[in-house]
Amino acid sequence: MSKKDLKLKIDEFSSAVGSFKGVEIEIGRIYDDSWEEPMGPTPFPSVGTLRNWDRKLLDRYKPFYMPFCDLCCLCTFGKCDLTGDKRGACGITMAAQQSRIVLLACCIGASTHCAHARHMLDHLMEEFGREAPIEVALNTNVEAPNIRLVCGIKPNTLRDLEDALDYVETQLVQLVAAAHTGQEGDNIDFESKAFHAGMLDHVAMEVADIEQITTLGMPKGIPDAPMTELGFGCIDPNKAVIMCIGHNVLPSVDIIDYLMENDLFGEVEIGGLCCTAHDNSRYNTRAKVIGPISWQLRYLRSGIPDLIVVDEQCIRTDILIEAKKLGVPVIATSEKSMLGLPNRTHDPPDNIVADLVEGKAPGALIIEPKKVGEVAVKTVLGVAPTRKDYKPLSGDDIQEMAEHCRNCEECVRACPNNLPIMEAVQQAAEGNFELLGDIYPACVGCGRCESACPENMPLITFFNKGAEERIANEKFPMRVGRGAVQDVEIREVGRGIVFGEIPGVVALVGCANYPKGGIDVAKIAEEFLNRRFIVVATGCAAMDLAMIRDEEGQNLYERYPGNFDAGGLINIGSCVSNAHITGAAIKIANIFAKRPLRANYEEIADYVYNRVGAVGVAWGAMSQKAASIASGCWRLGIPVVVGPHGAKYRRNLLGRKEKDEDWMTYDARTGEEVYTGPVPEHLFYAAETAEEAIVMIAKLVMRPNDTTKGRAVKLSHYIDLHKKYYGTMPDDLQYFVRREADIPFTMKNEILEYLKEKGWVEDKIAIPDPTLLDRMVRRRE
Amino acid sequence: MSKKDLKLKIDEFSSAVGSFKGVEIEIGRIYDDSWEEPMGPTPFPSVGTLRNWDRKLLDRYKPFYMPFCDLCCLCTFGKCDLTGDKRGACGITMAAQQSRIVLLACCIGASTHCAHARHMLDHLMEEFGREAPIEVALNTNVEAPNIRLVCGIKPNTLRDLEDALDYVETQLVQLVAAAHTGQEGDNIDFESKAFHAGMLDHVAMEVADIEQITTLGMPKGIPDAPMTELGFGCIDPNKAVIMCIGHNVLPSVDIIDYLMENDLFGEVEIGGLCCTAHDNSRYNTRAKVIGPISWQLRYLRSGIPDLIVVDEQCIRTDILIEAKKLGVPVIATSEKSMLGLPNRTHDPPDNIVADLVEGKAPGALIIEPKKVGEVAVKTVLGVAPTRKDYKPLSGDDIQEMAEHCRNCEECVRACPNNLPIMEAVQQAAEGNFELLGDIYPACVGCGRCESACPENMPLITFFNKGAEERIANEKFPMRVGRGAVQDVEIREVGRGIVFGEIPGVVALVGCANYPKGGIDVAKIAEEFLNRRFIVVATGCAAMDLAMIRDEEGQNLYERYPGNFDAGGLINIGSCVSNAHITGAAIKIANIFAKRPLRANYEEIADYVYNRVGAVGVAWGAMSQKAASIASGCWRLGIPVVVGPHGAKYRRNLLGRKEKDEDWMTYDARTGEEVYTGPVPEHLFYAAETAEEAIVMIAKLVMRPNDTTKGRAVKLSHYIDLHKKYYGTMPDDLQYFVRREADIPFTMKNEILEYLKEKGWVEDKIAIPDPTLLDRMVRRRE
Amino acid sequence: MAARMIPGQTAEIAGPKKAFVIPKPEVAASLIKRAKRPLLVVGSKAVETQTMDGDLIDTAIRLHNTGRLQVVATAHIVGEFMKRGAEGIHSMQMMNLGDRLRDPDWRGLDGEGAYDLVAFAGTLYYLEWLVESGLKSFAQDLTTISLSRSYQPNANWSLGTMKADKWKEVIDVIVKSITEDN
Amino acid sequence: MAARMIPGQTAEIAGPKKAFVIPKPEVAASLIKRAKRPLLVVGSKAVETQTMDGDLIDTAIRLHNTGRLQVVATAHIVGEFMKRGAEGIHSMQMMNLGDRLRDPDWRGLDGEGAYDLVAFAGTLYYLEWLVESGLKSFAQDLTTISLSRSYQPNANWSLGTMKADKWKEVIDVIVKSITEDN
Ligand code: SF4
Ligand code: SF4
Ligand code: SF4
Ligand code: SF4
Ligand code: SF4
Ligand code: SF4
Ligand code: SF4
Ligand code: SF4
């Protein structure tokens, strides 16, 4: 399959059938005809193809801009002040500028996954052959819902994935171009372009995860994926410890292979941070998961690692400085992140090992994973013995240092969460490390406090000291990422989700930029698991939710099963596995509802939007990748809730529930436009507190298509949670109760009374066969 | 030619030779074997391939960072304060952050050209066939020096260009990914990546210009390209006036064709701004060139245009607001810049025309160029009569408005060039418009003053009024862009350039963000033309240098011939034509010096760097495209001088002439490392004044390879210009005079005395066969 | 008043248009008193913010009781007010509120008309910074006041950065002054 | 002195670390006088900048003649000094100068050692802004003073924004104070 046409002139051709001269073959677009589904309306959509769909959504969910800066500094006409109704030297307005930055962020995010997928694919095709057949999940025909939906192709082998990447790359370059000075001028068109980038991102992520699942023997969508260990406490510091950071599993795979082949797991511990950790554990559960992105600095400061291997994405860019403090070498493995290290890819391994062990070089760049495997293991075995005497700061050291505190408060001002660092340091100066320890769980580990401190106090190390005991106990089980949701699972739950009887699917994804620590993610998960929502998780969130135990000492992974069903807690995998979450939504439309999938984006998104009660939650969303992932969800009609730092993404996409005219929907049966109420109320929403978020999530799972039974279930959770966290009844039930039967039985009287006050009229809110697409109307009345 | 491997299974195949079943053909990389040159070392280089070369340059020319902002706001961990030695929450340092933004800017720039090339190519292949043979320039074999050099392929037909774009897209996505939070951490590696983006940009530009030259009958490198008219004064306001803005010629081509076919040039005037104007005039000289980017707003305010057609890049994003003030409709033609307009691509032309003429819609988005042609012409013919009564502001109006000035100085504070706007307004309030008129030539037309004015005074219109008379006379001849430099020209001048006897090639390129108006560009050009340098120009600069006349009323295009030879003034073309400038430098190495070209980047760049006395000058460099174009020059060893606003590109790349150890060069003959002096002294340099720039340019053309005769010529210009503009002898001749014979004869005594004072020693500076590449050493002694 | 134009968080700096520092508490009070329809926004940090009255919830209740302004609790904290017996406190989340405040047609929490002044207190610093940034550019007719202990550059008016004790006093003076007749 | 921390160009705002406003001319003078090796940078706008002495070139010559500091002319303007008979004025372009000032090993224009203080006057506002930004982050031990008529946030010390007449007076006081013995 190739999107290029092709003209071959073969001067001489000889094969078993005979030999010929001057054969000329001309072939147009070649599509795999083994896919009987006819081509849908929008194969390989360009920047403008889905604009009408985007504008439908953006008309309901208007951006509320919160400029993160009043200026634009993107060209030498700048800086331009865009405050209020000022325009830049290029004519741009504040609204367009904010959206432009959103677009850029989404392009960076999608490029990151796409570049990662491309890089891995080149490598994996070389190793496993271009024709290696794709295998994603057991009991699954729809192997690549995003690719099928967007591109209109059905990949069978690794090389088919290239066509998807070619397309994504071409489109991304178009989008990046649109951010140039003097290009797009309309903020809503910028938003639409950001949606496009998001959609592309899900294609790229799908490619990336398919590649690695196919070739590296990662779990193929199995609900009972094996358990691995997570946390500081799971690393045996008596072994030589390799710490792998990033998002590209390939170098780590070769480290693990080398350890296996040489039977060295008894001597060497390999622990990972961020997505590399997820993917390592999907590859081999002997690889330990240290923790999410926020643990990088604090784990380094523990002094435990003897070697650091970084690949790409979300690695601390000052890793060399930090490594130097520890006296451990760094191996960089990606052209995207070369860190100024000399390229030793073509040097003999033992030379590199010698230089690293002897400390002649602070690190090495090795692009070839196989060589990384050998060099890393040999190096760590050489380095570890030299670090036996390494001692982290003692309590006395810390007390002594703390005495130099100038009370300048710079640390607090630098802290994104305003943690009481100065106070804790002052306590420490008196030998009391309690407050330091209290900071630990709320701290996102960013190190800005240290960087700001005029006394250069190693504050992260201080917090570690304060939390010593806690850290020793940080050891939790985690089901490894299982990858996609199986077709057979979709078939079983599709009905329940679409009619609302399974109250919703909550996807906990993204990074660890939490306002109050990772524990909130676990609380959110627990609340919805208790209520038998389906909870799926990826990335840092999937780690953080592992970190609470109940009275019996069990964590959520132990208490809830891993199947995609009500009350299931599914670790999908690393960040690229997020494509399986949108994939599952797409598959509900395709497999359960039998909507045509191929290149049929609008219809599927319309289906998901109106029927699938899924909500994305990125409580600590930090990165540009998180921005593009969310953006891909929006275009597909899935609302996303973020934490308060998420407001820094420069705008929310907010519905106005009280504006009846905003919530008109076609009834596909009749063509009539009917009022369906504000469901879902928002498309992108930053909550101030976890409590607010929980209640909002419960509200956002409502869909026009809910049956009365389904709506009643959803409303009962919403009301219950509102009472629990706000201490009051919601004040907006009139928008969600469509008829009496929607009211949860146990609350009927109370609610009817409330509704009467609000002037509620039964049947004002319709329950149509809902669609936003004119063309989905089956007949007009 | 395709970079993909290919496996074809043909179930049935029937042709003249017979018919077969089940043929399976497997083909690896297919290269065109009609190119006998063997493949060089670096075909399709990846992000890291040329890193060593970059580091050699960046070791000499270290970035001096001038942070344009102390913060980073790229992720929700931010904003982070990076001042001094602070690090961001991701660990990034200030230096790396500045380079990261540079990388992003270069990626945006290169993406813009690449996306443009891709978009045009899709369209042109449809119209002219995928197999349309490439024709770039007369008397030329090396049709695509950048593509050959970088990719290692030799394009024969339009479709071959796709391979180059596929490559550029893949690489750009890798580079954008590297800007993600937590990827690259080393500032020099960021710079190297920015160089990579720049190199890719030149490939993309080359593709774009080859496409349009090949298919649209643009001049094929002819020295005597036809003259066209440039300026306000060349538009006949009595005709219906279409104003085309941007960089994509395709919609304009169809407007011109429609005018030709319907014989309407008597009634309709088509004028262009920015590169669309260049390319229109290359297509058909009846299309007029209004002016550079800076004239957009002022030309709009003249009230003359009756219809605005925008395509992409460098268009004012507030064009709809401005158009509304004039009462003229806008046609947008690109998915990159949809401006919120409804997509009318599939509506019947006459419906669109009716809506636009009747003012029912402020504009329309029409993606199909053919339809743009028809709609634009019909619309302008409908609109123009309704605008007959349009009057721009009268002197009385302006005086009356000026009286409301609050003396708040906000206009001046908003002005990038601190022009005395308030004073001029105050004069105007007294009926004296002189100072307003004085602002006109120095103003870059950005409109920020207006936007800042609390009284909303239309200040641009005020300046127009003040310069009324001048404007009426703004009508200059300009030779249209001729495209590439012919191989045969290279053969003739190669020797003179490489040995320094032609003192240098000065390329005046880029945008119009001038510190004191466009006249400086003309002055720079004139100075070097007088001295028989080769002066080439593109983009806005090629327009601005047209705008001075000598006493006989002749401008530079009239006074200097258009051939690529000493004293020639060559309008190369639009921004994408910049690829021909690097192309010419590459061809000198290949054609004159017979260095192998194919995928041989380092050697060619090393040659250009050490031997070709070319300097890029982007006096008004504004855009991200300008950043990437410059970046592509640096990697190829060509220094670039910008105006003072260019310092906003966040860093300069500066040599330190006094550090002898920085200027060591291999002698390819012996392998010895010898001191060759600081030539060229800088790689990227922002000058404060045009005078400073002129002297610096004269200095930067020196190269280690200069013959004594060549060096003497170059030194004489340098000294002469220094005396002229600084009023003194240069104080750094000791770094440039290698032996007595280098000293310009007429100045010998004076200079020898000066050198003696400085302790100059003859022969300290070597004249080797210079190279920075170890592998170019022919034998070791 | 030892007010300083130094923002709470280091990098959340002021843009070209920045809040006037409220020179003394009475000015804040008089801005609020002179407003036709003022709204006090109480954020999620109110419970942990100590004031002379106890915490900021208590202070907000005291202000609420003057009847001179409406009070809205953001996030989930309206329950805190109810626990303490306050009635008529509105509840609306920060994003919903910000989005409506920039809409000149919005009729307010009570449906009676648009607000002309909004004061913020007890918020997450950066969240207030962002919402006020949105209002600065997209609700130019609305007056915003930050009663934060740290300078909030994106408000129209802001208290300067000061110590906790000083701030308590300042808030108390403001409340007293509003409570007083005229 | 009616000094204001408002930058000359609207959008060239201050970052988290910003210049102290020089409270009175004498402070600027005393900073310069106390410096071991001060350098005065005179930019390309000097000729069009009026001072009590005539223009800024004249003022710079007056300062130069005190022997208390070195003077360097940027861009091409050293010729202006020579025309007026000044000797020993250095010439170096802004980029070359900025690049060297951040190098602690640079021995100065006279080869005698590093400067500890650099004062800027008569520059293009934005160019000074940028160069001082570079020095703020990459030459943290160097003290920079802006004598610009508008506040320059990236210097260590800057005059505040003031009217042209006022500025002339201020500059004159500074020069006088430097000229005086101690
Ligand atoms: S947009 Fe970001 S980098 Fe640019 S000026 Fe604002 S805060 Fe600084
Ligand atoms: S892109 Fe536009 S708003 Fe931004 S700096 Fe350039 S001219 Fe100003
Ligand atoms: S490391 Fe923790 S305490 Fe320090 S600034 Fe970051 S979040 Fe705050
Ligand atoms: S920044 Fe350092 S010195 Fe200042 S208060 Fe914090 S810990 Fe103390
Ligand atoms: S990218 Fe790094 S420096 Fe920039 S805001 Fe994010 S964490 Fe801070
Ligand atoms: S339009 Fe001209 S005068 Fe106005 S701000 Fe721009 S450059 Fe200055
Ligand atoms: S901004 Fe407007 S009102 Fe203010 S000084 Fe300038 S022209 Fe006058
Ligand atoms: S030279 Fe610059 S401003 Fe002019 S058209 Fe090209 S990119 Fe635009």
Side-chain angles (χ1 to χ4, degrees), chain B residues 605-755:
Chain B
D606 180 59
Y607 185 94
V608 171
Y609 174 70
N610 281 299
R611 290 171 163 84
V612 178
V615 180
V617 182
W619 189 243
M622 169 277 288
S623 66
Q624 298 85 20
K625 289 179 291 172
S628 61
I629 293 168
S631 205
C633 291
W634 305 329
R635 190 176 243 188
L636 198 61
I638 301 173
V640 175
V641 174
V642 290
H645 287 293
K648 295 175 187 169
Y649 285 121
R650 291 169 170 79
R651 49 100 184 86
N652 274 201
L653 302 173
L654 301 172
R656 288 285 295 275
K657 59 187 168 193
E658 70 275 20
K659 293 196 163 178
D660 287 1
E661 65 277 21
D662 284 358
W663 306 100
M664 302 302 288
T665 306
Y666 289 112
D667 187 338
R669 288 181 293 257
T670 63
E672 207 190 333
E673 272 202 283
V674 295
Y675 173 70
T676 46
V679 283
E681 187 182 346
H682 301 300
L683 205 53
F684 182 42
Y685 183 87
E688 188 176 347
T689 60
E691 293 83 354
E692 174 187 338
I694 288 171
V695 176
M696 184 53 80
I697 294 162
K699 182 156 68 162
L700 290 179
V701 294
M702 289 186 255
R703 290 294 178 284
N705 198 58
D706 295 336
T707 57
T708 51
K709 192 174 150 209
R711 181 60 62 95
V713 172
K714 293 182 181 184
L715 277 171
S716 76
H717 292 300
Y718 172 50
I719 295 166
D720 196 44
L721 287 166
H722 201 285
K723 285 186 170 168
K724 175 169 174 185
Y725 290 111
Y726 281 72
T728 64
M729 279 278 286
D731 61 358
D732 55 2
L733 289 175
Q734 66 276 21
Y735 302 120
F736 304 110
V737 177
R738 298 166 300 180
R739 46 203 69 178
E740 228 183 281
D742 286 347
I743 305 175
F745 189 73
T746 53
M747 316 178 177
K748 188 148 277 175
N749 293 342
E750 179 186 7
I751 289 175
L752 271 179
E753 197 170 319
Y754 161 87
L755 289 175

Side-chain angles (χ1 to χ4, degrees), chain B residues 247 274-275 293 314 510-511 540 575 623 625:
Chain B
H247 284 67
C274 272
C275 285
I293 180 173
C314 301
C511 335
C540 292
C575 283
S623 66
K625 289 179 291 172

